[in-house]
Amino acid sequence: SGGEQSPRLFQFRKDGFLVLEQFFTAEECDSMRNQIQRIVAEMEVPPHCRTEFSTKEEEQLQAQGSSDYFLTSGDKIRFFFEKGVLDERGNFLIPKEKSVSKIGHALHAYDPVFKQITHSSKVQELGRKLGLERPVVVQSMYIFKRYGIPPALKDPRDWCLVAVTPHQDATFLHTEPLGRILGFWIALEDATRENGCLWFIPGSHTSGITRRMVRAASGTSTCVEFVGSEPAYDNSQFIPLPISKGGLILIHGEVVHKSELNSSESSRHAFTFHVMEAKDTSWSKENWLQPTPELPFPSLYT
């Protein structure tokens, strides 16, 4: 099947992305959705979400708590909430299964269902067709892409993560040299223009990156900071990539992509993971995400 793959490979190298419809079965998608329901049902609200603010000092402690929770999530399964869904005591203002925006960043390592999908023979075979010699999995995320705005949020600017601004994954996952990061984005439900499918600028993966997110010096109130500038992208250059349930989008680490607000009546669940070609590559010590003794980046090929 090497022959039929080469036009696709050419397309991927040209565009910086590749759509593979029906890569996973409906059953595989449903098994991931069902597993997430179980995980959310057992979810505990993290302590830093429960602080009642009174003093500036406590607010800083809370901010530090959020930072630590995020920065140390690389080797754990952790919950990230939409804004405005919890009161100051950490009680849910809306049903808890509607309150989570994403779950990260080690589902691929610690959850049997997501581990099986990430290391499935079709993913490994795809890695080999792409010529990956020593691919390792660096992180994974389950993204809910909610619709509708909680009552507490009148101002749409408060509504975080409904729209994902244009970005390059290598801004967050930096390697030397560049070009060693690859995203696998799996639609667990149909992704349409209405419910927030991905949009790409074809060919935008060839001019490097302009901005990096790095760990901030310890003791500062924010956990990460951006270095470099964010370019203004021309909106007319983006093309939408609607994809059916079970479809996979391969995403080059430097291709510019975004997703719009989910203006539909339905969610748009996705499971995504990032792979790095580890051969002759160094992972930046300044990345927010770092391998740990408990979880060195696992090999994609098992």
Side-chain angles (χ1 to χ4, degrees):
S1 63
E4 56 125 11
Q5 279 304 316
S6 44
R8 283 179 168 180
L9 207 52
F10 173 77
Q11 199 64 41
F12 175 67
R13 304 235 152 99
K14 179 171 159 288
D15 290 336
F17 58 84
L18 183 64
V19 175
L20 300 169
E21 286 281 6
Q22 296 176 326
F23 192 84
F24 289 99
T25 64
E27 292 73 35
E28 287 170 315
C29 293
D30 294 342
S31 74
M32 288 186 263
R33 292 199 59 188
N34 294 335
Q35 187 68 350
I36 275 298
Q37 274 184 315
R38 284 194 285 274
I39 290 173
V40 170
E42 293 165 17
M43 160 181 84
E44 293 289 323
V45 178
H48 73 85
C49 293
R50 295 186 180 278
T51 322
E52 292 188 62
F53 292 147
S54 53
T55 65
K56 266 279 178 274
E57 205 174 316
E58 277 169 24
E59 277 192 45
Q60 279 172 339
L61 279 174
Q62 162 124 10
Q64 194 54 53
S66 299
S67 308
D68 294 345
Y69 187 77
F70 170 70
L71 286 179
T72 58
S73 66
D75 62 352
K76 297 176 193 71
I77 296 175
R78 288 199 160 162
F79 303 94
F80 300 90
F81 298 94
E82 301 286 11
K83 262 173 122 172
V85 299
L86 296 163
D87 66 17
E88 62 278 8
R89 293 184 191 83
N91 299 321
F92 291 103
L93 298 166
I94 60 173
K96 76 171 184 177
E97 65 278 0
K98 288 195 165 77
S99 67
V100 185
S101 75
K102 57 183 190 180
I103 299 178
H105 288 93
L107 286 160
H108 62 279
Y110 296 129
D111 181 87
V113 172
F114 292 98
K115 186 174 191 171
Q116 193 180 352
I117 292 285
T118 305
H119 296 276
S120 57
S121 51
K122 12 186 190 198
V123 169
Q124 297 192 23
E125 188 189 342
L126 180 55
R128 293 197 167 92
K129 281 179 178 157
L130 290 162
L132 300 175
E133 291 184 59
R134 278 184 42 219
V136 296
V137 186
V138 298
Q139 65 122 3
S140 55
M141 266 192 300
Y142 191 102
I143 303 166
F144 293 84
K145 196 69 178 176
R146 304 273 170 217
Y147 57 95
I149 296 187
L153 296 179
K154 296 290 182 278
D155 185 343
R157 282 172 309 194
D158 284 342
W159 187 228
C160 70
L161 288 172
V162 270
V164 177
T165 53
H167 68 283
Q168 299 166 289
D169 293 341
T171 286
F172 307 96
L173 309 171
H174 192 268
T175 60
E176 297 277 340
L178 285 171
R180 300 303 171 89
I181 292 289
L182 185 59
F184 291 70
W185 191 95
I186 305 157
L188 304 185
E189 303 176 277
D190 294 349
T192 64
R193 287 181 70 149
E194 292 68 44
N195 75 0
C197 71
L198 298 181
W199 295 65
F200 287 81
I201 300 181
S204 56
H205 60 303
T206 55
S207 32
I209 59 169
T210 56
R211 192 168 82 117
R212 286 182 59 186
M213 184 175 94
V214 298
R215 285 183 171 239
S218 58
T220 45
S221 59
T222 55
C223 57
V224 292
E225 55 199 12
F226 285 95
V227 178
S229 58
E230 185 173 19
Y233 295 111
D234 173 359
N235 253 334
S236 66
Q237 292 190 302
F238 283 93
I239 62 160
L241 289 193
I243 188 166
S244 306
K245 174 178 177 172
L248 169 74
I249 302 180
L250 275 181
I251 304 174
H252 186 286
E254 282 110 83
V255 75
V256 177
H257 58 291
K258 65 173 182 177
S259 70
E260 298 290 352
L261 240 119
N262 181 349
S263 57
S264 75
E265 293 295 301
S266 57
S267 55
R268 190 225 65 189
H269 289 208
F271 176 58
T272 166
F273 59 91
H274 283 90
V275 164
M276 171 178 72
E277 168 62 272
K279 183 174 190 273
D280 304 327
T281 308
S282 68
W283 178 256
S284 171
K285 289 272 184 283
E286 293 184 304
N287 285 337
W288 73 268
L289 175 82
Q290 294 296 327
T292 62
E294 294 75 39
L295 183 63
F297 294 148
S299 167
L300 181 68
Y301 302 149
T302 41

